Amino acid sequence: MSTAFSVPAFSHSASSWHSINWNVIHQRVRGLQVRIAKATQQQQWRKVKALQRLLVRSFAAKALAVKRVTENRGKGTPGVDGELWSTPECKWKAITRLSRSGYKPKPLRRVYIPKSNGKRRPLGIPTMLDRAMQALYLLALDPVSETTADRNSYGFRPMRSTADAIEQCFVALSRKNSAKWILEGDIKGCFDNISHDWLLANIPLDKQVLRKWLKAGFMESGGLFPTEAGTPQGGIISPVLANMALDGLEAELESHFGRKNTKASYKTKVNFVRYADDFIITGISKELLEREVKPVVVAFMAQRGLTLSEEKTVITHVFEGFDFLGQHLRSFDGKLLVKPSRKNMRNVLGKLKNIVTGNKATTAGNLIMALNPVLQGWANYHRHVVAKETFNYVDYRMWKMLWQWCRRRHQNRRKRWIKDKYFKSAGNRNWVFSGVNNKGDNVRLVYTMDTPIKRHIKIRAEANPYLPEFEPYFEQRLERAWKDSMKGRDKLLMLWLRQRKRCVMCNQLITKETGWNIHHIVERVKGGSDKLSNLVLLHPNCHRQLHVMDKPSYLNMNNN
C-alpha cells in the first residue's frame, strides 16, 4: 500500500501571510544557500558575495526571516521600542520593512540573567525589526560559516550537539596510547571582547550592515551606552559571528603540531575539541601544553582581541579528571569513564528543590507537571554517558523531597495513609508519586532511572548540511534520533516515516526542534476518526495556516 498526499499549487506571488507557499520559499532559499556553500568551498569569494546579495534581497529569504523571529522562544520579548509581531498582518507588513536602504538598528535592551556561579550574564535584546534583519543576513552567512568551520567545533551549529563534543573527547582520550594531559581553555568574556575591527575585516558579510549592528549600543536604566567591542549575547547572528571568530584555531594547531593520523601528530597527540567558547586541547605532556601549545592559542586569541582566563585555563591529567559541558571525564585504571559532573547534578537538584518548596500549596498533579520536564530533560542530556548511578541518586533525593512535601501537608496523618494517597504502584515500582492535574488526567512522576543509556553516534567531522552530498547522511541521523525518542509512540513514528519525515504542506523536515502537530484530515467534529488513514503531521505554523484557508479540505490522502 502506498500513500500519496496532494498539496495545493499556490502561486509564489502571495497576497497575505497565510497565502505564502512555504514549500516554494524553502526551496528557493535552500537553492541559493547550496550555491553559496559550493562557492565558499571553491573559495570563489566574489561569487559568494554576489549570491549573498541576491539572497538577502529575495522575498523568500525575507519571509523566512520573519517566520523565524515570530515563532522562536523570544517572540514575546520586545526590544526598546516595545514592538511585537503577533498577528498575520504584522508579519506580512514586516516582510516589506526588511530593506538595507535606510536601515538603522536601534540600541539593544540590556537585561541580566543569573549564572551558575552567582554572577549575572548580560543579554542584549534587539527589536523585532533588528532580529529579523539579523535572521535574514544569517541565512546568507550560515552556509559560509559551516563550510569554513573547524571540523571539531560543535557549538551553535546546525545538526551538532554537546553529545558530539563529548564523544569526540572520548575518541581523543580513551585509547591506551591516547594523550594523557588536557588543557582546559576558558576565554575571558568571549562575546563581550571580540574585536570589531577583526570582525569587519574577516567576516564575509555586508560591512555596512555589520558595522551598524556592532556599534548600535545598548540601553540600560534609561541611558544609552556605546559598544566598542564584542557581539551582544541575545542577537540571532551573534553565535555565528563568535564561532567564525574562533574558527581557525584547529588549523593553526595542526600547522604547528601536525594533522591527526600524521607522523607529527603521533609525537605530540595534540587534539582539539570546541563547543562555543569552551574548548579542550590534548597533549602528550604537561610541558608541551604549557610551553608550546598555550602560546599558540594566546597569540591566536590576541589577534581577535581575546585573552585566556588565567584562573580557569588549567592543565589536568586524565587520571585526575576534568569537567566539560556538564560531564566529568576521568580515567580509572586506564579506562576512560564519562559521568554527569557533580556540579551539574547539584544544579539540577537545587532546581528541583526550588520547584518543590515553591509549590507547597499546589496539588500533587500540578507539582508533577512542573517537575517532569526538568527530570526528563536532565536525564535525556546525560543518557549517552555512564549515568545510571547518578540517576539512581537523583531519584532517591527526589523521593526524599516529595516525602517531606507530603508530610508537611498532612502532619496529623499516619505515614501509611500518606503513602497510600500519594505513592501508587506502577509496573515493578511500589512508590510512584502520582496525582491528578488541572485537566483531570492521572499523572506520574518521571524516574530518571527509566531513561535508557545508549551510546551517542558522533557526527562526521566534515559533514555539511548545505552540501547536497551529505543530505542522505543527515536524514539517516534524523531517522535514528526519532526512532530512539519515539519508543512507545508507534503511531507517531509511523506517520512520520510514511510522510518521508516531512511536513505535507511545506515539504520541509519535521524534527524535534521544529515541533509538530497532528492534523485530522476529516475533523473529529465532522465524524473523522483517529485512525492513521485520517492523520497527518504538520509543522505548527503550517497547521495554523491550514485552518485559516478557505478550503482546508485540500489535504487528501489516497490509498492505492
Side-chain angles (χ1 to χ4, degrees):
M1 183 179 69
S2 62
T3 304
F5 300 94
S6 62
V7 183
F10 288 118
S11 169
H12 66 277
S13 55
S15 58
S16 66
W17 180 256
H18 284 308
S19 66
I20 296 175
N21 185 344
W22 292 107
N23 187 12
V24 174
I25 293 293
H26 281 286
Q27 286 179 3
R28 291 184 174 177
V29 171
R30 186 68 175 183
L32 283 171
Q33 287 180 319
V34 168
R35 292 172 65 188
I36 292 171
K38 288 182 176 179
T40 304
Q41 198 176 39
Q42 298 163 6
Q43 297 189 351
Q44 297 177 343
W45 299 112
R46 293 183 64 183
K47 186 175 181 180
V48 168
K49 186 176 181 180
L51 290 169
Q52 286 181 322
R53 188 184 306 116
L54 182 63
L55 179 61
V56 298
R57 292 179 178 180
S58 68
F59 172 84
K62 293 178 180 180
L64 267 188
V66 174
K67 184 174 185 288
R68 173 173 179 176
V69 301
T70 55
E71 293 182 9
N72 61 15
R73 289 188 299 176
K75 63 184 178 182
T77 306
V80 293
D81 59 358
E83 183 180 10
L84 292 175
W85 298 342
S86 55
T87 65
E89 292 75 19
C90 290
K91 298 174 187 178
W92 178 251
K93 291 178 182 177
I95 296 175
T96 61
R97 296 172 60 187
L98 301 185
S99 174
R100 178 181 184 273
S101 177
Y103 170 65
K104 185 178 181 182
K106 288 184 170 60
L108 306 170
R109 182 166 69 89
R110 175 60 63 90
V111 297
Y112 293 90
I113 59 173
K115 297 171 65 174
S116 58
N117 59 5
K119 297 181 180 179
R120 297 193 303 165
R121 185 191 307 277
L123 286 184
I125 309 299
T127 64
M128 291 298 292
L129 178 60
D130 294 335
R131 273 180 252 176
M133 284 291 286
Q134 289 189 20
L136 174 62
Y137 279 86
L138 180 57
L139 289 171
L141 182 62
D142 210 33
V144 180
S145 172
E146 280 300 300
T147 308
T148 60
D150 287 342
R151 297 190 314 281
N152 289 305
S153 164
Y154 298 97
F156 301 123
R157 293 182 61 187
M159 317 302 286
R160 299 189 177 218
S161 66
T162 54
D164 292 307
I166 293 297
E167 188 63 25
Q168 180 59 30
C169 293
F170 185 85
V171 169
L173 295 166
S174 60
R175 297 180 178 89
K176 288 185 178 179
N177 60 348
S178 296
K180 303 301 180 186
W181 290 91
I182 302 99
L183 170 67
E184 303 173 57
D186 185 273
I187 304 172
K188 188 182 295 183
C190 177
F191 279 84
D192 298 327
N193 295 309
I194 299 175
S195 167
H196 286 180
D197 292 337
W198 190 94
L199 290 172
L200 291 168
N202 293 277
I203 301 297
L205 193 66
D206 188 311
K207 308 300 181 188
Q208 181 178 335
V209 175
L210 180 58
R211 181 179 288 106
K212 288 180 179 179
W213 286 334
L214 296 175
K215 303 298 183 183
F218 63 91
M219 296 289 294
E220 184 176 12
S221 302
L224 175 62
F225 298 86
T227 47
E228 302 299 334
T231 60
Q233 296 184 62
I236 287 177
I237 205 170
S238 294
V240 176
L241 294 178
N243 256 345
M244 295 188 76
L246 297 176
D247 282 333
L249 180 54
E250 187 169 19
E252 186 74 11
L253 292 170
E254 288 174 352
S255 69
H256 285 80
F257 306 103
R259 185 161 180 164
K260 189 178 181 181
N261 297 327
T262 61
K263 288 184 179 180
S265 69
Y266 283 129
K267 294 179 181 179
T268 59
K269 298 180 181 177
V270 171
N271 293 289
F272 172 79
V273 183
R274 179 170 69 84
Y275 189 92
D277 59 342
D278 294 322
F279 64 90
I280 68 160
I281 303 172
T282 68
I284 198 169
S285 68
K286 184 175 183 179
E287 291 72 21
L288 173 73
L289 292 175
E290 184 70 45
R291 298 176 183 177
E292 298 184 43
V293 173
K294 189 175 179 181
V296 172
V297 177
V298 170
F300 178 89
M301 296 297 173
Q303 295 175 1
R304 291 148 176 79
L306 301 172
T307 57
L308 293 179
S309 171
E310 291 297 330
E311 302 80 23
K312 298 180 181 179
T313 300
V314 294
I315 298 174
T316 311
H317 196 279
V318 70
F319 288 158
E320 299 175 13
F322 65 98
D323 290 350
F324 188 56
L325 302 178
Q327 312 290 11
H328 183 74
L329 296 88
R330 185 179 176 185
S331 182
F332 294 88
D333 297 326
K335 184 177 181 180
L336 185 74
L337 295 182
V338 184
K339 300 181 179 182
S341 70
R342 289 187 178 182
K343 180 180 178 182
N344 185 272
M345 183 183 66
R346 286 197 298 268
N347 286 343
V348 75
L349 287 174
K351 188 173 184 179
L352 292 168
K353 183 177 181 180
N354 289 337
I355 293 174
V356 173
T357 56
N359 289 274
K360 294 177 179 178
T362 192
T363 64
N366 291 336
L367 179 61
I368 291 170
M369 297 298 289
L371 292 170
N372 276 355
V374 178
L375 287 164
Q376 192 63 70
W378 181 81
N380 286 342
Y381 183 83
H382 294 287
R383 71 188 185 276
H384 303 301
V385 303
V386 185
K388 277 297 181 184
E389 185 179 340
T390 308
F391 285 175
N392 191 34
Y393 179 72
V394 168
D395 286 344
Y396 167 72
R397 289 287 302 273
M398 189 74 258
W399 179 85
K400 294 278 285 185
M401 293 181 209
L402 292 174
W403 182 250
Q404 185 178 4
W405 181 85
C406 295
R407 292 292 306 275
R408 178 190 172 278
R409 290 168 68 90
H410 304 285
Q411 298 179 10
N412 297 324
R413 293 285 188 174
R414 294 180 180 273
K415 294 179 181 179
R416 173 62 62 180
W417 184 94
I418 296 174
K419 190 268 181 188
D420 292 340
K421 178 176 177 61
Y422 290 105
F423 295 90
K424 311 297 182 181
S425 296
N428 296 327
R429 294 184 184 276
N430 295 322
W431 285 77
V432 180
F433 189 65
S434 307
V436 179
N437 63 13
N438 284 337
K439 297 179 181 179
D441 300 325
N442 292 316
V443 291
R444 297 197 298 256
L445 186 74
V446 165
Y447 282 82
T448 59
M449 272 290 290
D450 293 338
T451 302
I453 301 295
K454 186 173 182 179
R455 180 81 172 268
H456 178 73
I457 300 176
K458 190 183 80 70
I459 192 172
R460 291 182 193 169
E462 70 279 3
N464 186 336
Y466 294 104
L467 294 178
E469 57 263 34
F470 290 106
E471 187 75 16
Y473 171 72
F474 280 113
E475 291 208 352
Q476 289 172 6
R477 287 184 63 85
L478 177 61
E479 183 170 339
R480 189 186 304 120
W482 258 70
K483 286 181 177 178
D484 288 343
S485 63
M486 290 296 149
K487 287 181 179 178
R489 304 169 71 181
D490 296 337
K491 182 180 288 190
L492 190 61
L493 182 60
M494 287 176 65
L495 276 176
W496 185 70
L497 292 174
R498 187 182 64 182
Q499 296 175 198
R500 298 176 296 113
K501 317 177 191 80
R502 297 175 182 273
C503 171
V504 297
M505 279 195 66
C506 68
N507 201 36
Q508 298 302 302
L509 289 171
I510 295 177
T511 68
K512 289 185 287 185
E513 288 73 26
T514 64
W516 62 83
N517 289 160
I518 298 177
H519 173 73
H520 290 73
I521 299 171
V522 178
E523 298 174 12
R524 280 179 291 186
V525 295
K526 297 180 180 179
S529 69
D530 289 332
K531 294 182 179 179
L532 283 175
S533 57
N534 191 48
L535 302 176
V536 289
L537 287 180
L538 302 173
H539 288 133
N541 182 70
C542 294
H543 197 203
R544 288 191 294 270
Q545 182 179 359
L546 172 62
H547 279 286
V548 300
M549 297 295 294
D550 293 333
K551 296 179 180 180
S553 61
Y554 71 79
L555 260 182
N556 298 317
M557 183 166 58
N558 302 314
N559 296 327
N560 300 322

